[in-house]
Amino acid sequence: MGGGALTWQLDVADGSASPLPGSQDWKGGCPFPQWSTTSDAVWCHLGKDGLVLRQLGSGEEKGRVHEPTSANLRPSPDGRWVAFRGKNRTLNLAPVGGGELRELFRLESCRLLCWTPDSRYVLCRNEEGQVWRISASGGEARKLAIPVKGLRELRVHPDGKRVAMWTQEPGFEIWVLENFLPKMAAAR
């Protein structure tokens, strides 16, 4: 992604797009950007180099988490932690300011979904589609009653009372189409 890769922002009011300030100078660009809670920086997932928080304009790194084994990294809304699934199928937290990783929970095939707006809980989904709430301070995980089949993504509204979900029903369909091609002229 180097050599002039830009990270763009879109103005949803008028539809205009412009590069994020300073992004043309960011080594490696900013793949999979996520806004910081202060909107003056973005989180960039740099693959094997982990997750970095870049200040808009200057490109200064304000935080970095080295966890090359996981592409499923989620920064907390308060900007203090990054949650990720470790290679040993654990849900882990890493402090943005540096320090020891902390194992929160061991859950088979946990897909990290999101944080709650208050940064107190992490939500993840297992293979059966069950959503679990895990406290960032440790302790017991709690299975939530979210009866949605095919749940792929879930985001909690900043008010903490609503969620947006993306679902995809599993399964396949086979269709038969008859008489849809134009008639061919008879061969002479």
Side-chain angles (χ1 to χ4, degrees):
M1 273 227 136
L6 294 176
T7 302
W8 293 80
Q9 61 185 344
L10 176 69
D11 185 325
V12 295
D14 66 13
S16 64
S18 61
L20 281 175
S23 66
Q24 68 275 8
D25 299 323
W26 295 349
K27 182 182 173 203
C30 184
F32 310 105
Q34 297 179 48
W35 286 107
S36 72
T37 54
T38 59
S39 298
D40 64 345
V42 289
W43 287 99
C44 306
H45 187 271
L46 303 178
K48 64 181 171 101
D49 292 327
L51 192 72
V52 64
L53 181 64
R54 287 193 170 141
Q55 182 71 39
L56 294 181
S58 70
E60 176 188 354
E61 288 187 12
K62 295 176 71 178
R64 182 181 281 265
V65 175
H66 295 280
E67 183 47 50
T69 63
S70 179
N72 197 9
L73 298 159
R74 297 280 191 266
S76 64
D78 65 10
R80 295 178 49 219
W81 299 94
V82 171
F84 63 94
R85 181 178 158 204
K87 54 186 161 188
N88 55 358
R89 296 186 180 214
T90 57
L91 178 62
N92 302 292
L93 288 186
V96 170
E100 291 295 313
L101 301 179
R102 196 171 77 202
E103 181 180 310
L104 278 186
F105 190 69
R106 187 175 299 268
L107 181 66
E108 287 295 311
S109 302
C110 176
R111 171 153 168 65
L112 186 57
L113 295 170
C114 64
W115 285 82
T116 57
D118 59 7
S119 298
R120 292 179 54 205
Y121 300 98
V122 178
L123 303 180
C124 67
R125 169 183 57 84
N126 67 8
E127 281 182 354
E128 291 81 40
Q130 300 163 330
V131 178
W132 291 80
R133 183 184 80 175
I134 297 126
S135 172
S137 61
E140 292 292 315
R142 179 178 168 204
K143 186 168 79 169
L144 301 179
I146 299 179
V148 177
K149 289 185 179 183
L151 178 66
R152 303 285 297 213
E153 294 290 336
L154 180 138
R155 296 290 182 264
V156 181
H157 189 274
D159 68 11
K161 298 177 183 178
R162 298 176 279 172
V163 296
M165 294 180 274
W166 171 42
T167 63
Q168 184 176 12
E169 285 290 327
F172 299 94
E173 293 180 356
I174 297 176
W175 290 46
V176 175
L177 302 174
E178 295 180 335
N179 302 318
F180 69 96
L181 293 175
K183 295 204 185 257
M184 300 200 41
R188 296 185 189 194

